[in-house]
PDB file of all heavy atoms in Angstrom:
ATOM      1  N   LYS A 194      86.708 101.485  71.623  1.00  0.00           N
ATOM      2  CA  LYS A 194      87.637 100.590  72.329  1.00  0.00           C
ATOM      3  C   LYS A 194      87.665 101.003  73.796  1.00  0.00           C
ATOM      4  O   LYS A 194      87.345 102.145  74.123  1.00  0.00           O
ATOM      5  CB  LYS A 194      89.047 100.728  71.732  1.00  0.00           C
ATOM      6  CG  LYS A 194      89.185 100.115  70.349  1.00  0.00           C
ATOM      7  CD  LYS A 194      90.636 100.228  69.893  1.00  0.00           C
ATOM      8  CE  LYS A 194      90.798  99.672  68.494  1.00  0.00           C
ATOM      9  NZ  LYS A 194      91.998 100.229  67.822  1.00  0.00           N
ATOM     10  N   PRO A 195      88.082 100.098  74.701  1.00  0.00           N
ATOM     11  CA  PRO A 195      88.019 100.429  76.130  1.00  0.00           C
ATOM     12  C   PRO A 195      88.821 101.687  76.486  1.00  0.00           C
ATOM     13  O   PRO A 195      89.982 101.823  76.104  1.00  0.00           O
ATOM     14  CB  PRO A 195      88.638  99.206  76.805  1.00  0.00           C
ATOM     15  CG  PRO A 195      88.464  98.101  75.821  1.00  0.00           C
ATOM     16  CD  PRO A 195      88.542  98.723  74.457  1.00  0.00           C
ATOM     17  N   VAL A 196      88.176 102.589  77.151  1.00  0.00           N
ATOM     18  CA  VAL A 196      88.797 103.784  77.717  1.00  0.00           C
ATOM     19  C   VAL A 196      87.830 104.248  78.792  1.00  0.00           C
ATOM     20  O   VAL A 196      86.621 104.042  78.674  1.00  0.00           O
ATOM     21  CB  VAL A 196      89.039 104.868  76.634  1.00  0.00           C
ATOM     22  CG1 VAL A 196      87.723 105.401  76.063  1.00  0.00           C
ATOM     23  CG2 VAL A 196      89.894 106.011  77.168  1.00  0.00           C
ATOM     24  N   TRP A 197      88.352 104.875  79.864  1.00  0.00           N
ATOM     25  CA  TRP A 197      87.472 105.154  81.001  1.00  0.00           C
ATOM     26  C   TRP A 197      86.428 106.204  80.623  1.00  0.00           C
ATOM     27  O   TRP A 197      85.295 105.824  80.292  1.00  0.00           O
ATOM     28  CB  TRP A 197      88.307 105.556  82.221  1.00  0.00           C
ATOM     29  CG  TRP A 197      87.538 105.578  83.508  1.00  0.00           C
ATOM     30  CD1 TRP A 197      86.187 105.663  83.657  1.00  0.00           C
ATOM     31  CD2 TRP A 197      88.087 105.513  84.818  1.00  0.00           C
ATOM     32  NE1 TRP A 197      85.853 105.660  84.983  1.00  0.00           N
ATOM     33  CE2 TRP A 197      86.998 105.571  85.723  1.00  0.00           C
ATOM     34  CE3 TRP A 197      89.379 105.425  85.344  1.00  0.00           C
ATOM     35  CZ2 TRP A 197      87.173 105.540  87.114  1.00  0.00           C
ATOM     36  CZ3 TRP A 197      89.546 105.397  86.718  1.00  0.00           C
ATOM     37  CH2 TRP A 197      88.449 105.445  87.592  1.00  0.00           C
ATOM     38  N   ALA A 198      86.767 107.475  80.655  1.00  0.00           N
ATOM     39  CA  ALA A 198      85.734 108.500  80.399  1.00  0.00           C
ATOM     40  C   ALA A 198      86.414 109.826  80.059  1.00  0.00           C
ATOM     41  O   ALA A 198      86.370 110.768  80.848  1.00  0.00           O
ATOM     42  CB  ALA A 198      84.831 108.654  81.613  1.00  0.00           C
ATOM     43  N   PRO A 199      87.044 109.933  78.873  1.00  0.00           N
ATOM     44  CA  PRO A 199      87.844 111.141  78.592  1.00  0.00           C
ATOM     45  C   PRO A 199      87.035 112.435  78.557  1.00  0.00           C
ATOM     46  O   PRO A 199      87.523 113.473  79.017  1.00  0.00           O
ATOM     47  CB  PRO A 199      88.499 110.844  77.234  1.00  0.00           C
ATOM     48  CG  PRO A 199      87.809 109.654  76.679  1.00  0.00           C
ATOM     49  CD  PRO A 199      87.193 108.910  77.813  1.00  0.00           C
ATOM     50  N   PHE A 200      85.799 112.410  78.044  1.00  0.00           N
ATOM     51  CA  PHE A 200      85.017 113.657  78.050  1.00  0.00           C
ATOM     52  C   PHE A 200      84.581 114.038  79.465  1.00  0.00           C
ATOM     53  O   PHE A 200      84.392 115.217  79.761  1.00  0.00           O
ATOM     54  CB  PHE A 200      83.784 113.543  77.134  1.00  0.00           C
ATOM     55  CG  PHE A 200      84.050 113.999  75.724  1.00  0.00           C
ATOM     56  CD1 PHE A 200      83.834 113.141  74.647  1.00  0.00           C
ATOM     57  CD2 PHE A 200      84.510 115.286  75.454  1.00  0.00           C
ATOM     58  CE1 PHE A 200      84.080 113.565  73.343  1.00  0.00           C
ATOM     59  CE2 PHE A 200      84.755 115.710  74.157  1.00  0.00           C
ATOM     60  CZ  PHE A 200      84.537 114.841  73.102  1.00  0.00           C
ATOM     61  N   TYR A 201      84.400 113.046  80.334  1.00  0.00           N
ATOM     62  CA  TYR A 201      84.092 113.348  81.736  1.00  0.00           C
ATOM     63  C   TYR A 201      85.188 114.258  82.306  1.00  0.00           C
ATOM     64  O   TYR A 201      84.910 115.278  82.937  1.00  0.00           O
ATOM     65  CB  TYR A 201      84.018 112.037  82.526  1.00  0.00           C
ATOM     66  CG  TYR A 201      83.907 112.206  84.021  1.00  0.00           C
ATOM     67  CD1 TYR A 201      82.669 112.310  84.647  1.00  0.00           C
ATOM     68  CD2 TYR A 201      85.053 112.263  84.823  1.00  0.00           C
ATOM     69  CE1 TYR A 201      82.572 112.463  86.021  1.00  0.00           C
ATOM     70  CE2 TYR A 201      84.962 112.420  86.198  1.00  0.00           C
ATOM     71  CZ  TYR A 201      83.722 112.517  86.791  1.00  0.00           C
ATOM     72  OH  TYR A 201      83.624 112.674  88.157  1.00  0.00           O
ATOM     73  N   THR A 202      86.438 113.876  82.056  1.00  0.00           N
ATOM     74  CA  THR A 202      87.570 114.636  82.584  1.00  0.00           C
ATOM     75  C   THR A 202      87.679 116.000  81.912  1.00  0.00           C
ATOM     76  O   THR A 202      87.876 117.023  82.584  1.00  0.00           O
ATOM     77  CB  THR A 202      88.855 113.817  82.376  1.00  0.00           C
ATOM     78  OG1 THR A 202      88.664 112.539  82.974  1.00  0.00           O
ATOM     79  CG2 THR A 202      90.045 114.495  83.003  1.00  0.00           C
ATOM     80  N   VAL A 203      87.533 116.015  80.596  1.00  0.00           N
ATOM     81  CA  VAL A 203      87.620 117.292  79.878  1.00  0.00           C
ATOM     82  C   VAL A 203      86.514 118.243  80.349  1.00  0.00           C
ATOM     83  O   VAL A 203      86.729 119.445  80.492  1.00  0.00           O
ATOM     84  CB  VAL A 203      87.573 117.034  78.351  1.00  0.00           C
ATOM     85  CG1 VAL A 203      87.193 118.287  77.593  1.00  0.00           C
ATOM     86  CG2 VAL A 203      88.935 116.533  77.879  1.00  0.00           C
ATOM     87  N   HIS A 204      85.335 117.685  80.636  1.00  0.00           N
ATOM     88  CA  HIS A 204      84.266 118.544  81.168  1.00  0.00           C
ATOM     89  C   HIS A 204      84.677 119.227  82.466  1.00  0.00           C
ATOM     90  O   HIS A 204      84.375 120.406  82.679  1.00  0.00           O
ATOM     91  CB  HIS A 204      82.968 117.755  81.386  1.00  0.00           C
ATOM     92  CG  HIS A 204      82.008 118.494  82.277  1.00  0.00           C
ATOM     93  ND1 HIS A 204      81.679 118.061  83.541  1.00  0.00           N
ATOM     94  CD2 HIS A 204      81.384 119.683  82.115  1.00  0.00           C
ATOM     95  CE1 HIS A 204      80.877 118.957  84.106  1.00  0.00           C
ATOM     96  NE2 HIS A 204      80.670 119.936  83.269  1.00  0.00           N
ATOM     97  N   LYS A 205      85.361 118.492  83.347  1.00  0.00           N
ATOM     98  CA  LYS A 205      85.745 119.103  84.632  1.00  0.00           C
ATOM     99  C   LYS A 205      86.690 120.280  84.399  1.00  0.00           C
ATOM    100  O   LYS A 205      86.609 121.303  85.078  1.00  0.00           O
ATOM    101  CB  LYS A 205      86.429 118.084  85.548  1.00  0.00           C
ATOM    102  CG  LYS A 205      85.632 116.835  85.823  1.00  0.00           C
ATOM    103  CD  LYS A 205      84.272 117.116  86.437  1.00  0.00           C
ATOM    104  CE  LYS A 205      83.386 115.897  86.408  1.00  0.00           C
ATOM    105  NZ  LYS A 205      82.157 116.081  85.640  1.00  0.00           N
ATOM    106  N   ILE A 206      87.596 120.128  83.435  1.00  0.00           N
ATOM    107  CA  ILE A 206      88.554 121.207  83.163  1.00  0.00           C
ATOM    108  C   ILE A 206      87.829 122.402  82.531  1.00  0.00           C
ATOM    109  O   ILE A 206      88.057 123.555  82.900  1.00  0.00           O
ATOM    110  CB  ILE A 206      89.681 120.682  82.249  1.00  0.00           C
ATOM    111  CG1 ILE A 206      90.376 119.486  82.909  1.00  0.00           C
ATOM    112  CG2 ILE A 206      90.701 121.778  81.950  1.00  0.00           C
ATOM    113  CD1 ILE A 206      91.113 118.586  81.940  1.00  0.00           C
ATOM    114  N   MET A 207      86.915 122.105  81.620  1.00  0.00           N
ATOM    115  CA  MET A 207      86.151 123.196  80.991  1.00  0.00           C
ATOM    116  C   MET A 207      85.301 123.924  82.034  1.00  0.00           C
ATOM    117  O   MET A 207      85.231 125.162  82.061  1.00  0.00           O
ATOM    118  CB  MET A 207      85.274 122.641  79.860  1.00  0.00           C
ATOM    119  CG  MET A 207      86.088 122.149  78.658  1.00  0.00           C
ATOM    120  SD  MET A 207      85.093 121.368  77.357  1.00  0.00           S
ATOM    121  CE  MET A 207      84.265 122.783  76.635  1.00  0.00           C
ATOM    122  N   ALA A 208      84.642 123.156  82.907  1.00  0.00           N
ATOM    123  CA  ALA A 208      83.797 123.777  83.934  1.00  0.00           C
ATOM    124  C   ALA A 208      84.658 124.612  84.889  1.00  0.00           C
ATOM    125  O   ALA A 208      84.251 125.700  85.324  1.00  0.00           O
ATOM    126  CB  ALA A 208      83.030 122.700  84.703  1.00  0.00           C
ATOM    127  N   GLY A 209      85.862 124.118  85.189  1.00  0.00           N
ATOM    128  CA  GLY A 209      86.776 124.874  86.053  1.00  0.00           C
ATOM    129  C   GLY A 209      87.168 126.195  85.404  1.00  0.00           C
ATOM    130  O   GLY A 209      87.211 127.245  86.073  1.00  0.00           O
ATOM    131  N   MET A 210      87.448 126.156  84.104  1.00  0.00           N
ATOM    132  CA  MET A 210      87.800 127.384  83.384  1.00  0.00           C
ATOM    133  C   MET A 210      86.605 128.343  83.366  1.00  0.00           C
ATOM    134  O   MET A 210      86.760 129.556  83.543  1.00  0.00           O
ATOM    135  CB  MET A 210      88.234 127.057  81.941  1.00  0.00           C
ATOM    136  CG  MET A 210      89.529 126.288  81.851  1.00  0.00           C
ATOM    137  SD  MET A 210      90.941 127.302  82.376  1.00  0.00           S
ATOM    138  CE  MET A 210      92.236 126.049  82.427  1.00  0.00           C
TER     139      MET A 210
END
Side-chain angles (χ1 to χ4, degrees):
K194 288 184 182 157
V196 65
W197 192 340
F200 269 123
Y201 171 90
T202 305
V203 161
H204 164 248
K205 304 303 167 241
I206 302 158
M207 291 175 73
M210 293 292 171

